[in-house]
Amino acid sequence: MILDEFTADIEQRPAYLRELAGRLVDEQPWSVLRPHEVRRIQLIGMGSSRFAARVGAWRLRRAGVHAVAEYASDPGLAGGQGTLVVAISATGKSAETIAAAHRAKAAGSTVVALTDDPTSPLAELAGRHVLLGAGEERSGIVCRTYTHTLALLLSLERHLEGGSDIELDVAGIVKRSAIAVEDLLERRDHWIDWVGDRLDSTDGLFVTAPVARISSAEQSALMVRLVPRRLAVACETGDWSHVDVYLTKTRDYRMLLYPGSRWEPELLRWTAERRTKVVAVGNAPAGVEALRYAGDHDPLVAVLAETTVAEIVADLWRPQLRRPRSDEAWGVAADPIR
């Protein structure tokens, strides 16, 4: 990884989103598929690819499609005739995803590679591919490709719905997401220290999101683990009251909240009682400190844009960039980046 390139990768997100939006107006990326051939769908990948797949599969199920998201590393994945396997890997070189695609083809599944390299081993194995179009991420950190994966899974949902229904205007969603990210980037000097200071804790960062956008919590936590190499944990909003609330009594618990869950009132009751520091990104309930941005009332804009905040904070917290402080106080090695 080249961490010094990470900021530039983030800053290029609006331009690549606009390019993707134009492509979605001009073409249907999933034209390699005929909807009537698909009886069930497996979205497979690792890391950020799997995070995006969870949301994609959840939305497909809500649309009436038999869809699941699975770890590509699962040796027991089943396939067969009528199964569409979307094998997701930005580079097309993920060993686990390639192995799973091999098994799927052997079982008679239709395999499509969702990747940014049409000449990659995964794309060649699948025989059909959909291009992410996120460009080269020079840092080696998956940020834009994660966002493009989500957008193209929305496009898959739209393709499988068929007809002329324009309710799921994916190109429009992607355009508005570019504006949202641009808004966050243009104003970052006004909010970065405010957000960074409120979330800063030697006990780690805890990221919470609704089930419909659980990938935002998972991706954000990964960015904090990956870039500054800090502890970060993701949790679903409703589940939080069952699995994470206990830590608010024993830790300097700081929560990055992606709002929109019907179960937020219970979570906020606990955090208020225990004086937990909560910073929301987006359209949060009254009384919650929140960073607002253009278009944050739309959950589909949010899922494509909101992780930009965690990425910028993660970059701020890199040991080379943060304000001088003793390593002992932070509990990190002098040079934890490998």
Side-chain angles (χ1 to χ4, degrees), residues 34-82:
R34 291 184 289 275
H36 70 271
E37 293 179 326
V38 179
R39 294 203 301 269
R40 53 192 172 272
I41 298 176
Q42 289 180 349
L43 306 178
I44 62 172
M46 301 297 292
S48 297
S49 297
R50 186 185 62 82
F51 301 160
R54 284 189 68 183
V55 168
W58 180 85
R59 288 191 55 83
L60 285 166
R61 288 195 300 274
R62 298 265 295 186
V65 179
H66 181 178
V68 295
E70 302 283 4
Y71 290 92
S73 56
D74 180 357
L77 285 177
Q81 295 293 328

Side-chain angles (χ1 to χ4, degrees), residues 13 147 177 180-181 184 293 300-309:
R13 178 176 279 137
T147 309
S177 300
V181 174
L184 286 167
Y293 58 91
L300 291 178
V301 169
V303 78
L304 296 179
E306 61 196 355
T307 56
T308 303
V309 174

Side-chain angles (χ1 to χ4, degrees), residues 316-328:
L316 170 71
W317 284 348
R318 282 168 51 194
Q320 297 94 327
L321 299 182
R322 66 183 176 222
R323 295 182 298 278
R325 200 164 173 179
S326 72
D327 291 331
E328 288 79 8

Side-chain angles (χ1 to χ4, degrees), residues 58-281:
W58 180 85
R59 288 191 55 83
L60 285 166
R61 288 195 300 274
R62 298 265 295 186
V65 179
H66 181 178
V68 295
E70 302 283 4
Y71 290 92
S73 56
D74 180 357
L77 285 177
Q81 295 293 328
T83 299
L84 166 65
V85 173
V86 179
I88 309 168
S89 171
T91 64
K93 297 175 183 176
S94 169
E96 299 90 347
T97 307
I98 291 171
H102 266 295
R103 295 194 301 271
K105 286 207 82 170
S109 301
T110 298
V111 180
V112 176
L114 180 53
T115 177
D116 231 350
D117 184 355
T119 66
S120 66
L122 181 62
E124 291 180 358
L125 168 66
R128 308 187 201 184
H129 75 272
V130 173
L131 189 68
L132 285 167
E136 180 189 5
E137 291 166 321
R138 293 177 60 85
S139 65
I141 298 169
V142 173
C143 55
R144 295 195 309 268
T145 48
Y146 159 78
T147 309
H148 281 229
T149 300
L150 284 166
L152 283 160
L153 290 178
L154 288 175
S155 178
L156 173 61
E157 177 185 339
R158 177 70 186 85
H159 179 61
L160 294 177
E161 285 179 352
S164 58
D165 181 4
I166 61 170
E167 283 208 10
L168 190 59
D169 174 16
V170 183
I173 292 163
V174 174
K175 286 179 186 176
R176 295 194 298 276
S177 300
I179 294 169
V181 174
E182 210 160 50
D183 179 42
L184 286 167
L185 290 171
E186 287 176 352
R187 294 188 295 113
R188 71 186 130 174
D189 288 345
H190 299 287
W191 60 259
I192 187 170
D193 288 331
W194 178 79
V195 174
D197 288 346
R198 280 161 175 74
L199 296 178
D200 197 348
S201 169
T202 55
D203 281 342
L205 177 65
F206 299 85
V207 193
T208 308
V211 66
R213 307 200 313 277
I214 187 60
S215 65
S216 293
E218 294 176 314
Q219 176 72 1
S220 297
L222 175 60
M223 293 298 99
V224 174
R225 292 195 298 268
L226 195 156
V227 179
R229 303 300 171 97
R230 291 193 183 194
L231 173 67
V233 179
C235 192
E236 192 275 326
T237 308
D239 211 26
W240 185 90
S241 300
H242 300 270
V243 302
D244 235 34
V245 63
Y246 314 105
L247 295 177
T248 57
K249 268 196 168 184
T250 59
R251 297 286 184 270
D252 178 19
Y253 194 99
R254 311 289 179 100
M255 179 189 292
L256 174 61
L257 173 67
Y258 294 122
S261 170
R262 62 176 291 192
W263 307 110
E264 260 164 35
E266 178 70 1
L267 177 149
L268 293 173
R269 179 179 71 82
W270 282 110
T271 56
E273 286 181 7
R274 297 186 177 182
R275 299 183 180 179
T276 300
K277 291 183 175 65
V278 178
V279 174
V281 173

